[in-house]
Amino acid sequence: MPHERHSSLREGLVAGLLGALLVAIWYTVVDLGRGEMFYTANVLGQVFAQADTMPSVRTVNSSAVVQYSLLHFGSFIVFGIVLAALTHLATRNPSLRMGVWLGLVIGFMCWLGMSYTLYRATDQRFPWWTTLIGSVLGFGAVGLYLWRSHPGLRSRQDRPLGAEVKSPPHPPGRQAG
């Protein structure tokens, strides 16, 4: 499919929703396994939406669950749209292919660092391993969807990544002649 027929907004929305749904399903499965429905969304909602560093883990705060759900889906949709726009730029300009990977890796690493910080700041009430695995699933789903939607990104090329950039005619700092 030619890149002109791709829409960054539509693809980003689909990619973000896929990632958000996969993470939500993961959290639901984990919470059902613990026997505590909405535990993860409850704790994350209290930490992110209500700025509570000592979230209640004994009772479910329904407003925290709703607030976190909105934040969760909104964040994934925005991330999906930004990554889809980067993907479309990379399909038109191969030298930007690394930007797609960097966007995915940087987004994941920022989330990972923030998650671990919150895990420590909340006296280990923040579900660290649950969010780590959920993040891998969510970011992976967004990346895989965009990767499969744009075969030009994965096509094997004769030159290594970054070889598209032309070298300057002379070394920097030296004048010719």
Side-chain angles (χ1 to χ4, degrees), residues 38-106:
F38 300 118
Y39 173 84
T40 304
N42 178 45
V43 171
L44 296 177
Q46 289 179 59
V47 170
F48 286 118
Q50 298 176 351
D52 185 0
T53 58
M54 290 308 217
S56 169
V57 293
R58 298 202 188 279
T59 60
V60 174
N61 182 338
S62 58
S63 66
V65 171
V66 169
Q67 289 170 341
Y68 175 72
S69 298
L70 292 173
L71 180 66
H72 170 79
F73 278 89
S75 299
F76 263 99
I77 288 169
V78 168
F79 178 72
I81 291 170
V82 169
L83 201 59
L86 267 174
T87 302
H88 289 160
L89 285 172
T91 57
R92 289 189 290 271
N93 185 351
S95 64
L96 297 175
R97 289 183 294 157
M98 187 56 101
V100 176
W101 289 110
L102 286 174
L104 194 59
V105 170
I106 289 170

Side-chain angles (χ1 to χ4, degrees), residues 9-28:
L9 186 61
R10 181 184 53 77
E11 281 186 2
L13 182 68
V14 171
L17 284 173
L18 281 173
L21 282 172
L22 189 59
V23 173
I25 291 168
W26 165 250
Y27 288 165
T28 302

Side-chain angles (χ1 to χ4, degrees), residues 102-121:
L102 286 174
L104 194 59
V105 170
I106 289 170
F108 178 73
M109 294 307 289
C110 286
W111 173 250
L112 189 64
M114 186 175 60
S115 296
Y116 186 73
T117 301
L118 289 171
Y119 169 74
R120 301 296 292 178

